[in-house]
Amino acid sequence: MNPYDRNFQETTFAEEAARFDAADPLAPLRAEFLRPVAADGRPILHFAGHSLGLQPRQAREAVLEVLDDWATLGVEGHFAARRPWLSYHELLTEATARLVGAQAEEVVVMNTLSVNVHLMMVSFYRPTPKRFRILIEGGAFPSDRYAVASQAQFHGFDPELAIQELTPRPGETTLRDEDILATIARDGEQIALILLGNCNYLTGQRFDMAAITRAGHAQGCHVGFDLAHGAGNLLLNLHDDGPDFAVWCNYKYLNAGPGGLGGVFVHRRHLGRGDIPRFAGWWGHDKASRFQMGPHFQPMPTAEAWQLSNPPILALAALRASMALFDAAGMPALTQKAAWLTDFLYRQLLTLPAGAVTLMTPTEPHRRGTMLTIRVPGQADQLVAFLQRNGAEVDLRRPDIVRIAPVPLYTSAGDVAALGVLLRAFWGTDA
Ligand SMILES: *Cc1c(COP(=O)(O)O)cnc(C)c1O
């Protein structure tokens, strides 16, 4: 039996959930995570993995290993640690490449997301008097907006003129794919950089990266994606889709822990180019001659050329624990399970009284990831407080937006069914 097949014949959600979980090959991964305990002593139902993922059990051991090696080896740990610090970041490279559908040379784990947005814009936002616009989503994540505005200013342009926003049609909550492509076709000659989130952090809308990239490149634009809500959530093919760069954080779906390190993708076509402007640091210098400490920067022929500093090993260690789980499961299996769980969550929402909630996320599975965003007019605060009192963690964006993500690594169908029971109880329609 394929547990992801929607045609179960069970009469109740609970039975359906139990059947799904019993047949779910990824179910054992749930035990690899630590979760907070609710007031009644039970582990919480965690639906906020799009905000901060749970702690992998192995994270502590991975971090302690670094601390112990530092204690016993001191500076020699750079070379003699069980996993030498000099090359520690490389332990993440292959798994990260598989995670986002890239070649190993195209990815590096470094810095944090907003820093990486800036570093990528130094290289790929090259405005001229005739082509200086940056195309972003209306209501983009504030940090992304601040970053692009300050980059435009840095180049001497008025952000009001430089930033072009994509907005939904009147009365609609998400963008239409055809409208995005039409905007690029119409205004592309004035657009230096297209920078979109995927998925959109608020609505959970997924964009067609391949089509947007093709349309942008046809107009001579650079194309980048902020995958804060995509990495570890969507099945990605960055190399084949062909954007010039992508950036993401690893602490949301990827469970790297608070403030965890970010990821960067630079497409192969840009690697080893001498004509790309870049802010440089010694960790981007060719490994073979880095410690000759010469005055002239010789970039790595990989995405590592964009590294500045020697990386924080403790943070990399925590991420390594989570990436091992992702790599073992694989994104095809994870996204297949996520699609089922998200649909199951959607079916819970359908049982609520008419008008209680409205879904902002597109209903078509290929236009969303794991997260569903609902509007709860007038009752969002009460709903989230009610759920919290009853041991379920979701995420509130005041005044009325609630985001719920049944992430497949550690969420069971039983968790989603339990959330459904709470939702129905809140509206007094307990089924
Ligand atoms: C979470 C998120 C950020 C956070 O940026 P940091 O630099 O990691 O603090 C930025 N942009 C988007 C779209 C996000 O979802």
Side-chain angles (χ1 to χ4, degrees):
M1 179 183 63
N2 176 359
Y4 306 118
D5 179 357
R6 279 195 50 188
N7 295 324
F8 280 109
Q9 300 300 314
E10 284 76 7
T11 49
T12 69
F13 287 133
E15 283 172 7
E16 184 177 355
R19 292 265 313 253
F20 179 88
D21 289 336
D24 175 14
L26 300 179
L29 287 170
R30 183 181 166 80
E32 296 295 323
F33 290 86
L34 300 166
R35 58 191 77 217
V37 171
D40 64 2
R42 283 184 307 173
I44 63 160
L45 303 167
H46 186 264
F47 292 99
H50 59 276
S51 183
L52 184 74
L54 290 174
Q55 183 182 137
R57 248 173 225 291
Q58 293 298 319
R60 178 181 301 265
E61 193 178 309
V63 171
L64 283 177
E65 177 187 296
V66 175
L67 286 173
D68 288 344
D69 283 349
W70 179 24
T72 56
L73 298 166
V75 68
E76 293 302 321
H78 281 303
F79 309 96
R82 278 164 277 183
R83 294 174 176 80
W85 307 330
L86 203 59
S87 54
Y88 199 100
H89 72 276
E90 295 170 17
L91 298 173
L92 279 307
T93 304
E94 297 278 345
T96 298
R98 282 190 285 273
L99 179 84
V100 297
Q103 299 175 355
E105 294 75 18
E106 294 174 315
V107 297
V108 60
V109 172
M110 62 179 197
N111 310 315
T112 43
L113 175 55
S114 302
V115 174
N116 289 330
V117 170
H118 279 293
L119 292 179
M120 289 297 106
M121 287 190 74
V122 166
S123 294
F124 298 108
Y125 177 53
R126 312 297 322 288
T128 65
K130 285 173 72 175
R131 184 197 281 275
F132 61 87
R133 290 194 200 170
I134 308 162
L135 184 68
I136 64 171
E137 301 136 276
F141 194 91
S143 195
D144 299 50
R145 210 196 142 82
Y146 305 153
V148 299
S150 62
Q151 284 279 337
Q153 260 171 328
F154 174 74
H155 286 281
F157 295 96
D158 178 352
E160 293 295 320
L161 302 176
I163 297 177
Q164 180 173 347
E165 293 184 329
L166 292 160
T167 48
R169 294 186 187 189
E172 300 185 4
T173 44
T174 54
L175 296 162
R176 296 197 194 187
D177 287 334
E178 68 262 31
D179 289 356
I180 300 173
L181 300 179
T183 301
I184 295 170
R186 188 190 65 213
D187 300 332
E189 286 184 359
Q190 294 159 53
I191 296 170
L193 174 67
I194 298 167
L195 181 58
L196 301 182
N198 201 24
C199 301
N200 178 279
Y201 86 97
L202 192 63
T203 65
Q205 178 181 12
R206 175 182 195 165
F207 300 115
D208 184 342
M209 303 219 296
I212 289 168
T213 301
R214 266 197 309 276
H217 285 169
Q219 296 291 324
C221 318
H222 276 132
V223 182
F225 287 94
D226 181 335
L227 299 174
H229 285 259
N233 177 20
L234 306 176
L235 189 58
L236 297 167
N237 283 296
L238 288 181
H239 178 80
D240 289 343
D241 286 354
D244 298 290
F245 70 89
V247 290
W248 60 93
C249 48
N250 283 309
Y251 53 78
K252 291 174 179 162
Y253 288 94
L254 290 159
N255 318 308
L261 293 167
V264 168
F265 162 89
V266 179
H267 197 277
R268 172 174 276 286
R269 75 177 81 89
H270 298 301
L271 302 180
R273 278 178 55 182
D275 59 342
I276 292 192
R278 178 194 293 121
F279 287 171
W282 73 320
W283 230 250
H285 187 98
D286 186 20
K287 268 172 228 185
S289 59
R290 183 180 296 151
F291 290 95
Q292 291 167 18
M293 307 301 242
H296 299 297
F297 182 68
Q298 275 174 16
M300 294 281 299
T302 68
E304 292 168 284
W306 277 266
Q307 291 180 117
L308 299 179
S309 305
N310 79 98
I313 305 299
L314 294 168
L316 283 173
L319 175 58
R320 195 171 61 75
S322 177
M323 287 299 293
L325 298 173
F326 267 92
D327 213 31
M331 285 310 290
L334 284 167
T335 48
Q336 203 185 1
K337 177 177 175 183
W340 193 94
L341 288 178
T342 302
D343 176 71
F344 193 45
L345 173 60
Y346 176 62
R347 287 187 284 131
Q348 306 303 313
L349 299 176
L350 292 179
T351 65
L352 302 178
V357 304
T358 46
L359 186 68
M360 293 179 74
T361 312
T363 48
E364 306 95 312
H366 73 280
R367 296 183 64 219
R368 68 186 186 205
T370 303
M371 180 178 82
L372 293 184
T373 303
I374 51 175
R375 272 220 146 89
V376 192
Q379 287 187 290
D381 270 281
Q382 295 93 313
L383 171 64
V384 172
F386 172 83
L387 292 177
Q388 213 154 34
R389 274 201 308 281
N390 288 281
E393 187 91 60
V394 297
D395 165 289
L396 171 65
R397 296 268 151 169
R398 289 196 171 87
D400 63 355
I401 291 176
V402 176
R403 301 183 299 172
I404 310 171
V407 307
L409 259 187
Y410 49 71
T411 307
S412 66
D415 294 343
V416 178
L419 180 66
V421 170
L422 291 176
L423 291 171
R424 286 185 288 277
F426 179 75
W427 274 286
T429 59
D430 207 350

mmCIF file of all heavy atoms in Angstrom, residues 49-89:
data_model
loop_
_atom_site.group_PDB
_atom_site.id
_atom_site.type_symbol
_atom_site.label_atom_id
_atom_site.label_comp_id
_atom_site.label_asym_id
_atom_site.label_seq_id
_atom_site.Cartn_x
_atom_site.Cartn_y
_atom_site.Cartn_z
ATOM 1 N N GLY A 49 7.612 24.840 12.166
ATOM 2 C CA GLY A 49 8.926 24.513 11.615
ATOM 3 C C GLY A 49 9.347 25.445 10.493
ATOM 4 O O GLY A 49 10.516 25.480 10.116
ATOM 5 N N HIS A 50 8.415 26.230 9.961
ATOM 6 C CA HIS A 50 8.755 27.243 8.963
ATOM 7 C C HIS A 50 9.390 28.460 9.642
ATOM 8 O O HIS A 50 9.860 29.366 8.965
ATOM 9 C CB HIS A 50 7.497 27.689 8.218
ATOM 10 C CG HIS A 50 6.467 28.247 9.147
ATOM 11 N ND1 HIS A 50 5.577 27.450 9.834
ATOM 12 C CD2 HIS A 50 6.228 29.502 9.544
ATOM 13 C CE1 HIS A 50 4.819 28.211 10.604
ATOM 14 N NE2 HIS A 50 5.196 29.464 10.454
ATOM 15 N N SER A 51 9.359 28.487 10.966
ATOM 16 C CA SER A 51 9.898 29.625 11.714
ATOM 17 C C SER A 51 11.204 29.217 12.396
ATOM 18 O O SER A 51 12.242 29.863 12.226
ATOM 19 C CB SER A 51 8.862 30.070 12.748
ATOM 20 O OG SER A 51 9.307 31.207 13.433
ATOM 21 N N LEU A 52 11.147 28.149 13.168
ATOM 22 C CA LEU A 52 12.354 27.564 13.767
ATOM 23 C C LEU A 52 12.118 26.069 13.917
ATOM 24 O O LEU A 52 11.210 25.656 14.639
ATOM 25 C CB LEU A 52 12.678 28.181 15.124
ATOM 26 C CG LEU A 52 13.985 27.662 15.743
ATOM 27 C CD1 LEU A 52 15.190 28.253 15.034
ATOM 28 C CD2 LEU A 52 14.069 27.959 17.226
ATOM 29 N N GLY A 53 12.933 25.293 13.240
ATOM 30 C CA GLY A 53 12.773 23.840 13.293
ATOM 31 C C GLY A 53 13.162 23.292 14.655
ATOM 32 O O GLY A 53 13.881 23.927 15.430
ATOM 33 N N LEU A 54 12.675 22.096 14.974
ATOM 34 C CA LEU A 54 12.996 21.438 16.239
ATOM 35 C C LEU A 54 14.465 21.002 16.271
ATOM 36 O O LEU A 54 15.125 20.914 15.239
ATOM 37 C CB LEU A 54 12.097 20.224 16.432
ATOM 38 C CG LEU A 54 10.617 20.498 16.701
ATOM 39 C CD1 LEU A 54 9.840 19.190 16.732
ATOM 40 C CD2 LEU A 54 10.430 21.271 18.000
ATOM 41 N N GLN A 55 14.916 20.693 17.480
ATOM 42 C CA GLN A 55 16.316 20.303 17.652
ATOM 43 C C GLN A 55 16.514 18.808 17.345
ATOM 44 O O GLN A 55 15.877 17.969 17.985
ATOM 45 C CB GLN A 55 16.765 20.575 19.088
ATOM 46 C CG GLN A 55 18.230 20.266 19.317
ATOM 47 C CD GLN A 55 18.685 20.482 20.755
ATOM 48 O OE1 GLN A 55 19.412 19.684 21.324
ATOM 49 N NE2 GLN A 55 18.260 21.592 21.338
ATOM 50 N N PRO A 56 17.402 18.504 16.409
ATOM 51 C CA PRO A 56 17.716 17.093 16.192
ATOM 52 C C PRO A 56 18.447 16.538 17.422
ATOM 53 O O PRO A 56 19.296 17.210 18.003
ATOM 54 C CB PRO A 56 18.667 17.103 14.987
ATOM 55 C CG PRO A 56 18.509 18.453 14.366
ATOM 56 C CD PRO A 56 18.098 19.386 15.471
ATOM 57 N N ARG A 57 18.082 15.319 17.812
ATOM 58 C CA ARG A 57 18.727 14.681 18.956
ATOM 59 C C ARG A 57 20.252 14.700 18.859
ATOM 60 O O ARG A 57 20.950 14.855 19.859
ATOM 61 C CB ARG A 57 18.292 13.218 19.005
ATOM 62 C CG ARG A 57 17.427 12.902 20.162
ATOM 63 C CD ARG A 57 16.883 11.498 20.096
ATOM 64 N NE ARG A 57 15.477 11.525 20.431
ATOM 65 C CZ ARG A 57 15.029 11.804 21.654
ATOM 66 N NH1 ARG A 57 15.857 12.031 22.644
ATOM 67 N NH2 ARG A 57 13.737 11.874 21.888
ATOM 68 N N GLN A 58 20.755 14.527 17.643
ATOM 69 C CA GLN A 58 22.199 14.400 17.454
ATOM 70 C C GLN A 58 22.930 15.746 17.493
ATOM 71 O O GLN A 58 24.157 15.779 17.466
ATOM 72 C CB GLN A 58 22.500 13.720 16.108
ATOM 73 C CG GLN A 58 22.059 12.261 16.040
ATOM 74 C CD GLN A 58 22.784 11.403 17.062
ATOM 75 O OE1 GLN A 58 23.978 11.553 17.270
ATOM 76 N NE2 GLN A 58 22.050 10.518 17.725
ATOM 77 N N ALA A 59 22.186 16.850 17.523
ATOM 78 C CA ALA A 59 22.845 18.165 17.475
ATOM 79 C C ALA A 59 23.759 18.354 18.677
ATOM 80 O O ALA A 59 24.887 18.844 18.563
ATOM 81 C CB ALA A 59 21.794 19.277 17.409
ATOM 82 N N ARG A 60 23.269 17.944 19.856
ATOM 83 C CA ARG A 60 24.058 18.128 21.076
ATOM 84 C C ARG A 60 25.407 17.404 20.957
ATOM 85 O O ARG A 60 26.457 17.968 21.253
ATOM 86 C CB ARG A 60 23.261 17.603 22.270
ATOM 87 C CG ARG A 60 23.975 17.689 23.604
ATOM 88 C CD ARG A 60 23.090 17.118 24.700
ATOM 89 N NE ARG A 60 21.825 17.846 24.782
ATOM 90 C CZ ARG A 60 21.612 18.861 25.616
ATOM 91 N NH1 ARG A 60 22.555 19.237 26.448
ATOM 92 N NH2 ARG A 60 20.462 19.491 25.631
ATOM 93 N N GLU A 61 25.343 16.161 20.523
ATOM 94 C CA GLU A 61 26.576 15.364 20.409
ATOM 95 C C GLU A 61 27.539 15.995 19.396
ATOM 96 O O GLU A 61 28.747 16.043 19.615
ATOM 97 C CB GLU A 61 26.207 13.946 19.971
ATOM 98 C CG GLU A 61 27.315 12.945 20.115
ATOM 99 C CD GLU A 61 26.819 11.559 19.706
ATOM 100 O OE1 GLU A 61 25.757 11.148 20.216
ATOM 101 O OE2 GLU A 61 27.472 10.932 18.874
ATOM 102 N N ALA A 62 26.986 16.488 18.281
ATOM 103 C CA ALA A 62 27.842 17.093 17.253
ATOM 104 C C ALA A 62 28.531 18.347 17.790
ATOM 105 O O ALA A 62 29.716 18.577 17.521
ATOM 106 C CB ALA A 62 27.000 17.428 16.019
ATOM 107 N N VAL A 63 27.792 19.144 18.568
ATOM 108 C CA VAL A 63 28.375 20.361 19.141
ATOM 109 C C VAL A 63 29.389 19.994 20.230
ATOM 110 O O VAL A 63 30.486 20.574 20.306
ATOM 111 C CB VAL A 63 27.268 21.275 19.702
ATOM 112 C CG1 VAL A 63 27.857 22.422 20.499
ATOM 113 C CG2 VAL A 63 26.403 21.814 18.563
ATOM 114 N N LEU A 64 29.030 19.017 21.053
ATOM 115 C CA LEU A 64 29.950 18.608 22.127
ATOM 116 C C LEU A 64 31.260 18.055 21.556
ATOM 117 O O LEU A 64 32.331 18.257 22.135
ATOM 118 C CB LEU A 64 29.286 17.564 23.027
ATOM 119 C CG LEU A 64 28.264 18.119 24.023
ATOM 120 C CD1 LEU A 64 27.619 16.989 24.813
ATOM 121 C CD2 LEU A 64 28.892 19.148 24.953
ATOM 122 N N GLU A 65 31.166 17.391 20.435
ATOM 123 C CA GLU A 65 32.386 16.864 19.816
ATOM 124 C C GLU A 65 33.366 18.005 19.500
ATOM 125 O O GLU A 65 34.570 17.903 19.770
ATOM 126 C CB GLU A 65 32.033 16.105 18.532
ATOM 127 C CG GLU A 65 33.257 15.582 17.794
ATOM 128 C CD GLU A 65 32.902 14.991 16.436
ATOM 129 O OE1 GLU A 65 32.173 13.986 16.402
ATOM 130 O OE2 GLU A 65 33.363 15.541 15.406
ATOM 131 N N VAL A 66 32.826 19.092 18.993
ATOM 132 C CA VAL A 66 33.693 20.236 18.673
ATOM 133 C C VAL A 66 34.257 20.843 19.959
ATOM 134 O O VAL A 66 35.451 21.144 20.058
ATOM 135 C CB VAL A 66 32.918 21.295 17.862
ATOM 136 C CG1 VAL A 66 33.788 22.529 17.628
ATOM 137 C CG2 VAL A 66 32.449 20.710 16.533
ATOM 138 N N LEU A 67 33.380 21.000 20.958
ATOM 139 C CA LEU A 67 33.856 21.575 22.229
ATOM 140 C C LEU A 67 34.939 20.692 22.857
ATOM 141 O O LEU A 67 35.956 21.191 23.362
ATOM 142 C CB LEU A 67 32.685 21.742 23.196
ATOM 143 C CG LEU A 67 31.714 22.887 22.886
ATOM 144 C CD1 LEU A 67 30.514 22.831 23.819
ATOM 145 C CD2 LEU A 67 32.410 24.244 22.983
ATOM 146 N N ASP A 68 34.735 19.381 22.823
ATOM 147 C CA ASP A 68 35.711 18.466 23.413
ATOM 148 C C ASP A 68 37.038 18.512 22.658
ATOM 149 O O ASP A 68 38.117 18.505 23.252
ATOM 150 C CB ASP A 68 35.159 17.030 23.419
ATOM 151 C CG ASP A 68 34.044 16.857 24.447
ATOM 152 O OD1 ASP A 68 33.920 17.742 25.332
ATOM 153 O OD2 ASP A 68 33.306 15.865 24.364
ATOM 154 N N ASP A 69 36.966 18.556 21.338
ATOM 155 C CA ASP A 69 38.208 18.612 20.553
ATOM 156 C C ASP A 69 38.959 19.914 20.811
ATOM 157 O O ASP A 69 40.191 19.935 20.879
ATOM 158 C CB ASP A 69 37.894 18.480 19.053
ATOM 159 C CG ASP A 69 37.578 17.037 18.671
ATOM 160 O OD1 ASP A 69 37.803 16.145 19.510
ATOM 161 O OD2 ASP A 69 37.103 16.818 17.545
ATOM 162 N N TRP A 70 38.209 20.965 20.973
ATOM 163 C CA TRP A 70 38.828 22.266 21.274
ATOM 164 C C TRP A 70 39.529 22.180 22.639
ATOM 165 O O TRP A 70 40.663 22.631 22.816
ATOM 166 C CB TRP A 70 37.732 23.332 21.260
ATOM 167 C CG TRP A 70 38.156 24.724 21.572
ATOM 168 C CD1 TRP A 70 39.396 25.285 21.435
ATOM 169 C CD2 TRP A 70 37.296 25.756 22.086
ATOM 170 N NE1 TRP A 70 39.370 26.600 21.826
ATOM 171 C CE2 TRP A 70 38.097 26.912 22.221
ATOM 172 C CE3 TRP A 70 35.949 25.818 22.425
ATOM 173 C CZ2 TRP A 70 37.570 28.113 22.701
ATOM 174 C CZ3 TRP A 70 35.430 27.011 22.884
ATOM 175 C CH2 TRP A 70 36.239 28.145 23.024
ATOM 176 N N ALA A 71 38.833 21.530 23.612
ATOM 177 C CA ALA A 71 39.406 21.417 24.957
ATOM 178 C C ALA A 71 40.688 20.590 24.958
ATOM 179 O O ALA A 71 41.662 20.941 25.643
ATOM 180 C CB ALA A 71 38.379 20.783 25.903
ATOM 181 N N THR A 72 40.697 19.527 24.202
ATOM 182 C CA THR A 72 41.834 18.608 24.279
ATOM 183 C C THR A 72 42.925 18.920 23.271
ATOM 184 O O THR A 72 44.084 18.568 23.488
ATOM 185 C CB THR A 72 41.378 17.148 24.057
ATOM 186 O OG1 THR A 72 40.687 17.084 22.802
ATOM 187 C CG2 THR A 72 40.451 16.694 25.173
ATOM 188 N N LEU A 73 42.566 19.597 22.178
ATOM 189 C CA LEU A 73 43.547 19.817 21.105
ATOM 190 C C LEU A 73 43.970 21.272 20.957
ATOM 191 O O LEU A 73 44.997 21.558 20.341
ATOM 192 C CB LEU A 73 42.975 19.330 19.766
ATOM 193 C CG LEU A 73 42.649 17.837 19.691
ATOM 194 C CD1 LEU A 73 41.794 17.539 18.467
ATOM 195 C CD2 LEU A 73 43.933 17.019 19.658
ATOM 196 N N GLY A 74 43.162 22.177 21.467
ATOM 197 C CA GLY A 74 43.487 23.588 21.273
ATOM 198 C C GLY A 74 43.565 23.921 19.792
ATOM 199 O O GLY A 74 42.785 23.411 18.988
ATOM 200 N N VAL A 75 44.521 24.741 19.440
ATOM 201 C CA VAL A 75 44.625 25.213 18.060
ATOM 202 C C VAL A 75 44.880 24.074 17.078
ATOM 203 O O VAL A 75 44.546 24.173 15.893
ATOM 204 C CB VAL A 75 45.727 26.307 17.955
ATOM 205 C CG1 VAL A 75 47.106 25.701 18.193
ATOM 206 C CG2 VAL A 75 45.658 27.028 16.607
ATOM 207 N N GLU A 76 45.437 22.986 17.561
ATOM 208 C CA GLU A 76 45.708 21.853 16.674
ATOM 209 C C GLU A 76 44.418 21.267 16.094
ATOM 210 O O GLU A 76 44.441 20.531 15.098
ATOM 211 C CB GLU A 76 46.472 20.753 17.419
ATOM 212 C CG GLU A 76 47.884 21.125 17.833
ATOM 213 C CD GLU A 76 48.744 21.534 16.643
ATOM 214 O OE1 GLU A 76 48.607 20.910 15.572
ATOM 215 O OE2 GLU A 76 49.509 22.507 16.782
ATOM 216 N N GLY A 77 43.289 21.598 16.722
ATOM 217 C CA GLY A 77 42.013 21.094 16.224
ATOM 218 C C GLY A 77 41.740 21.480 14.783
ATOM 219 O O GLY A 77 41.005 20.782 14.087
ATOM 220 N N HIS A 78 42.343 22.560 14.317
ATOM 221 C CA HIS A 78 42.144 22.924 12.912
ATOM 222 C C HIS A 78 42.503 21.760 11.998
ATOM 223 O O HIS A 78 41.882 21.556 10.959
ATOM 224 C CB HIS A 78 43.001 24.136 12.550
ATOM 225 C CG HIS A 78 42.405 25.439 13.020
ATOM 226 N ND1 HIS A 78 41.152 25.864 12.666
ATOM 227 C CD2 HIS A 78 42.918 26.412 13.826
ATOM 228 C CE1 HIS A 78 40.902 27.041 13.219
ATOM 229 N NE2 HIS A 78 41.959 27.396 13.950
ATOM 230 N N PHE A 79 43.514 20.997 12.420
ATOM 231 C CA PHE A 79 43.967 19.879 11.578
ATOM 232 C C PHE A 79 43.647 18.532 12.204
ATOM 233 O O PHE A 79 43.406 17.560 11.499
ATOM 234 C CB PHE A 79 45.488 19.961 11.356
ATOM 235 C CG PHE A 79 45.941 21.295 10.872
ATOM 236 C CD1 PHE A 79 46.418 22.261 11.753
ATOM 237 C CD2 PHE A 79 45.844 21.607 9.515
ATOM 238 C CE1 PHE A 79 46.810 23.503 11.296
ATOM 239 C CE2 PHE A 79 46.234 22.858 9.059
ATOM 240 C CZ PHE A 79 46.717 23.815 9.949
ATOM 241 N N ALA A 80 43.688 18.468 13.541
ATOM 242 C CA ALA A 80 43.688 17.168 14.221
ATOM 243 C C ALA A 80 42.350 16.798 14.850
ATOM 244 O O ALA A 80 42.215 15.711 15.400
ATOM 245 C CB ALA A 80 44.781 17.144 15.290
ATOM 246 N N ALA A 81 41.370 17.685 14.770
ATOM 247 C CA ALA A 81 40.057 17.334 15.327
ATOM 248 C C ALA A 81 39.504 16.116 14.595
ATOM 249 O O ALA A 81 39.912 15.813 13.474
ATOM 250 C CB ALA A 81 39.099 18.516 15.189
ATOM 251 N N ARG A 82 38.553 15.425 15.251
ATOM 252 C CA ARG A 82 37.964 14.253 14.591
ATOM 253 C C ARG A 82 37.418 14.650 13.218
ATOM 254 O O ARG A 82 37.528 13.910 12.265
ATOM 255 C CB ARG A 82 36.855 13.665 15.471
ATOM 256 C CG ARG A 82 37.417 12.767 16.562
ATOM 257 C CD ARG A 82 36.404 12.513 17.649
ATOM 258 N NE ARG A 82 36.362 13.604 18.621
ATOM 259 C CZ ARG A 82 35.596 13.602 19.710
ATOM 260 N NH1 ARG A 82 34.785 12.585 19.935
ATOM 261 N NH2 ARG A 82 35.624 14.613 20.552
ATOM 262 N N ARG A 83 36.845 15.828 13.183
ATOM 263 C CA ARG A 83 36.493 16.437 11.891
ATOM 264 C C ARG A 83 37.208 17.784 11.862
ATOM 265 O O ARG A 83 36.754 18.731 12.496
ATOM 266 C CB ARG A 83 34.977 16.617 11.768
ATOM 267 C CG ARG A 83 34.234 15.284 11.722
ATOM 268 C CD ARG A 83 32.735 15.472 11.750
ATOM 269 N NE ARG A 83 32.036 14.213 11.623
ATOM 270 C CZ ARG A 83 31.839 13.347 12.633
ATOM 271 N NH1 ARG A 83 32.252 13.634 13.838
ATOM 272 N NH2 ARG A 83 31.215 12.213 12.427
ATOM 273 N N PRO A 84 38.330 17.848 11.142
ATOM 274 C CA PRO A 84 39.174 19.053 11.223
ATOM 275 C C PRO A 84 38.405 20.323 10.858
ATOM 276 O O PRO A 84 37.633 20.342 9.912
ATOM 277 C CB PRO A 84 40.277 18.751 10.202
ATOM 278 C CG PRO A 84 40.321 17.262 10.107
ATOM 279 C CD PRO A 84 38.907 16.807 10.295
ATOM 280 N N TRP A 85 38.658 21.358 11.649
ATOM 281 C CA TRP A 85 37.895 22.600 11.479
ATOM 282 C C TRP A 85 38.225 23.311 10.173
ATOM 283 O O TRP A 85 37.392 24.015 9.631
ATOM 284 C CB TRP A 85 38.170 23.537 12.668
ATOM 285 C CG TRP A 85 37.927 22.871 13.977
ATOM 286 C CD1 TRP A 85 37.019 21.868 14.233
ATOM 287 C CD2 TRP A 85 38.604 23.107 15.205
ATOM 288 N NE1 TRP A 85 37.087 21.487 15.542
ATOM 289 C CE2 TRP A 85 38.042 22.233 16.171
ATOM 290 C CE3 TRP A 85 39.612 23.986 15.590
ATOM 291 C CZ2 TRP A 85 38.482 22.212 17.490
ATOM 292 C CZ3 TRP A 85 40.041 23.970 16.897
ATOM 293 C CH2 TRP A 85 39.486 23.090 17.841
ATOM 294 N N LEU A 86 39.453 23.101 9.714
ATOM 295 C CA LEU A 86 39.891 23.773 8.481
ATOM 296 C C LEU A 86 38.954 23.459 7.318
ATOM 297 O O LEU A 86 38.664 24.308 6.488
ATOM 298 C CB LEU A 86 41.312 23.303 8.155
ATOM 299 C CG LEU A 86 42.163 24.200 7.284
ATOM 300 C CD1 LEU A 86 42.326 25.566 7.909
ATOM 301 C CD2 LEU A 86 43.537 23.538 7.082
ATOM 302 N N SER A 87 38.491 22.254 7.261
ATOM 303 C CA SER A 87 37.648 21.837 6.129
ATOM 304 C C SER A 87 36.239 21.472 6.587
ATOM 305 O O SER A 87 35.482 20.869 5.832
ATOM 306 C CB SER A 87 38.290 20.643 5.420
ATOM 307 O OG SER A 87 38.550 19.603 6.360
ATOM 308 N N TYR A 88 35.879 21.875 7.804
ATOM 309 C CA TYR A 88 34.612 21.405 8.390
ATOM 310 C C TYR A 88 33.416 21.756 7.508
ATOM 311 O O TYR A 88 32.510 20.949 7.315
ATOM 312 C CB TYR A 88 34.429 22.004 9.784
ATOM 313 C CG TYR A 88 33.433 21.260 10.651
ATOM 314 C CD1 TYR A 88 33.866 20.362 11.611
ATOM 315 C CD2 TYR A 88 32.063 21.457 10.510
ATOM 316 C CE1 TYR A 88 32.965 19.670 12.419
ATOM 317 C CE2 TYR A 88 31.159 20.773 11.298
ATOM 318 C CZ TYR A 88 31.614 19.884 12.254
ATOM 319 O OH TYR A 88 30.719 19.202 13.044
ATOM 320 N N HIS A 89 33.417 22.966 6.942
ATOM 321 C CA HIS A 89 32.246 23.386 6.147
ATOM 322 C C HIS A 89 32.032 22.483 4.937
ATOM 323 O O HIS A 89 30.928 22.365 4.427
ATOM 324 C CB HIS A 89 32.391 24.843 5.709
ATOM 325 C CG HIS A 89 33.421 25.064 4.651
ATOM 326 N ND1 HIS A 89 34.762 25.213 4.941
ATOM 327 C CD2 HIS A 89 33.323 25.129 3.305
ATOM 328 C CE1 HIS A 89 35.436 25.390 3.816
ATOM 329 N NE2 HIS A 89 34.594 25.334 2.810
#
